Every structure is written in C-alpha cells, then in structure tokens.
Amino acid sequence: MNPLDWFLNQARRPRGWAGRLLVRGMNRAHGQMTDWALSQLSVRDSRALLDIGCGGGGALLRLSELAPQAELHGIDFSPQSLSVAARTNRRLMEQGRVLLREADVSDLPYDDGRFDLAVAINSHYFWSDLAEDLREIVRVLQPGGTVALAGGEYFGGKHDTRNRRLASNERMNCQTLPELRDTLCEAGYSNTEIHEEWNRGWFCVVGRKPVVDTEESLRPT
Ligand SMILES: C[S@@+](CC[C@H](N)C(=O)[O-])C[C@H]1O[C@@H](n2cnc3c(N)ncnc32)[C@H](O)[C@@H]1O
C-alpha cells in the first residue's frame, strides 16, 4: 500500500498504536480549524450536543467551555480514537459531562430528537453514504436543531489541487461547498449556510432540521 493510501486509511478509521498516535496528532493539527468552525455556530445555549467521528476528543474539550450547560456526547467507530478521546476528556467524563460511545454514524444509538447540535469535523468525507448518514443525523436532532460539517478537504477552495489528488480513486468523498449544501437539503435540512475561510482552506457547512408547523401538520388533508 502506498503511503498516502495508508495515511488515509488510518484517518478513515484509526487502528493500532499508529492510529492512536495519529489521533493524538490530529487533536493538535485540527485545533485552529476546529476553533474557527465552532465560532461559526451558536453553541452557548446548547443543552445536548453530539460530535460525530470525535477522533481524539479535542472538539469535545473545546465545546465543554463554549457550551457550559451542555451534555457532550461523542461517537466514533474506532476504539483507538475513543481511547484517546477518553484520555483527553478524563476529568469531564468523571463529572459525567462527556459521554463517549463506539458507534457508526449510519446507526446512531440515540432516540429521535435527542440533540440540539451535531458537529462532524474532518469526518464526513469518510462516511459510507453521506446523504443517508445525514438523514440518520436529522433523526436524532430536535426540530430547529443544527448540524455542522467542517474540515479542510473540499473542492473549489484554496487547496483544490491538493484535495482533488487526495480524493482521487474514491479515497475520500469531497464535494464543492454548494454540492455539500445541496446534499444537506436532499437529506431534509433547511436554512443552510456556507462558511469558508479561504486563506486557510477551511469550510463549515450548516443545516437545520425544519421546525414542523404543528397547525399545518394537524390540518386534515
Ligand atoms: C480524520 S479523523 C477526525 C477526528 C476529529 N474529528 C478531528 O477533527 O480531529 C476522522 C474520524 O472519524 C471517524 N469516523 C469515520 N467514519 C466514521 C463513521 N462512519 N462512524 C463513526 N466514526 C467515523 C474515524 O474513526 C476518525 O476517528
């Protein structure tokens, strides 16, 4: 396997000691981008939020300060990622504020309407079926709840050439930002927003679960 394939396989699902090292490195390498992405969101009043593909748990630690009243949940399908996330958030886990579970985004182990905010940072381009997985996320969001996909790999940005090389041979599912927004709309989100930090090559695309108009839904058809 060539080094790029090896690296992206590890980023997709970290394994073994090398995976643990990589995840620890990602906590550092993704810190500034994560701060920027979270600054695009209204996080402060969140009561229950979910970090999907939480990796080493760096975003959960940041969110614990930005959303002081929130229960913070993280899922990842890599046990290695979760063990680093548990270390990163040990004190918050002892306090019962951070809860981690091994799970796949395609089958979230939560009731409908459990969260007001879901974030996925540098993760969605590895999911098996982005549109379907976004539908699974909309299920666990409350009406009006927010989903945010953020990262540095997308088409049309400052690092387009690099990202097209990374995504070649279906190694990653990269899209342009308008395409990503269309995928959110197809999956049932509304009030979408696109944020881009061109100079750094970062994006954060946001969608909201529609609030059902109860009068409308109760009206006989
Ligand atoms: C590139 S890492 C990013 C980790 C972290 N969010 C960050 O920004 O540093 C991608 C993470 O998403 C997880 N992941 C990828 N596909 C997943 C899926 N289908 N379900 C749950 N986790 C997934 C991987 O195991 C890995 O920990």
Side-chain angles (χ1 to χ4, degrees):
M1 190 185 291
N2 75 45
L4 182 58
D5 284 334
W6 181 89
F7 175 80
L8 288 176
N9 264 337
Q10 280 287 359
R12 172 188 299 277
R13 191 171 198 162
R15 291 184 170 85
W17 63 266
R20 251 198 302 273
L21 269 184
L22 182 74
V23 173
R24 276 166 41 192
M26 285 194 288
N27 266 354
R28 283 189 295 275
H30 296 164
Q32 288 186 356
M33 192 276 298
T34 300
D35 284 338
W36 172 81
L38 297 180
S39 75
Q40 308 307 310
L41 308 172
S42 304
V43 173
R44 185 145 200 89
D45 295 330
S46 172
R47 295 287 171 151
L49 60 84
L50 176 63
D51 183 4
I52 299 166
C54 65
L60 286 169
L61 189 59
R62 288 174 156 77
L63 283 163
S64 71
E65 288 169 13
L66 296 172
Q69 306 169 68
E71 253 180 37
L72 303 146
H73 295 255
I75 67 121
D76 202 293
F77 68 178
S78 156
Q80 275 71 26
S81 290
L82 289 171
S83 81
V84 177
R87 239 176 110 147
T88 307
N89 293 282
R90 187 169 49 210
R91 205 172 42 80
L92 292 162
M93 288 185 77
E94 283 163 8
Q95 295 165 359
R97 267 201 82 200
V98 165
L99 297 104
L100 301 176
R101 288 175 84 160
E102 185 177 334
D104 192 311
V105 62
S106 308
D107 186 16
L108 294 171
Y110 302 104
D111 291 340
D112 297 0
R114 179 76 181 75
F115 299 103
D116 51 47
L117 173 64
V119 300
I121 300 173
N122 284 310
S123 183
H124 75 273
Y125 17 70
F126 297 120
W127 300 349
S128 56
D129 184 335
L130 181 57
E132 272 306 305
D133 294 338
L134 285 168
R135 280 189 200 101
E136 175 62 354
I137 297 169
V138 89
R139 180 186 69 72
V140 301
L141 282 176
Q142 297 164 9
T146 300
V147 68
L149 307 177
E153 273 73 48
Y154 62 106
F155 294 153
K158 185 176 184 185
H159 303 304
D160 187 66
T161 307
R162 178 200 70 183
N163 291 338
R164 286 189 186 273
R165 193 167 60 86
L166 286 176
S168 61
N169 301 326
E170 298 184 1
R171 285 188 288 228
M172 297 174 84
N173 175 14
C174 287
Q175 303 185 0
T176 65
L177 300 183
E179 282 168 351
L180 209 43
R181 179 175 49 194
D182 289 349
T183 309
L184 279 170
C185 293
E186 278 163 32
Y189 296 86
S190 61
N191 292 333
T192 53
E193 295 164 19
I194 294 177
H195 304 275
E196 183 177 21
E197 174 58 272
W198 170 269
N199 286 325
R200 307 297 299 267
W202 297 335
F203 72 91
C204 177
V205 177
V206 178
R208 294 190 179 75
K209 179 169 180 168
V211 178
V212 178
D213 178 339
T214 43
E215 278 186 25
E216 187 71 40
S217 64
L218 292 174
R219 200 168 292 147
T221 48

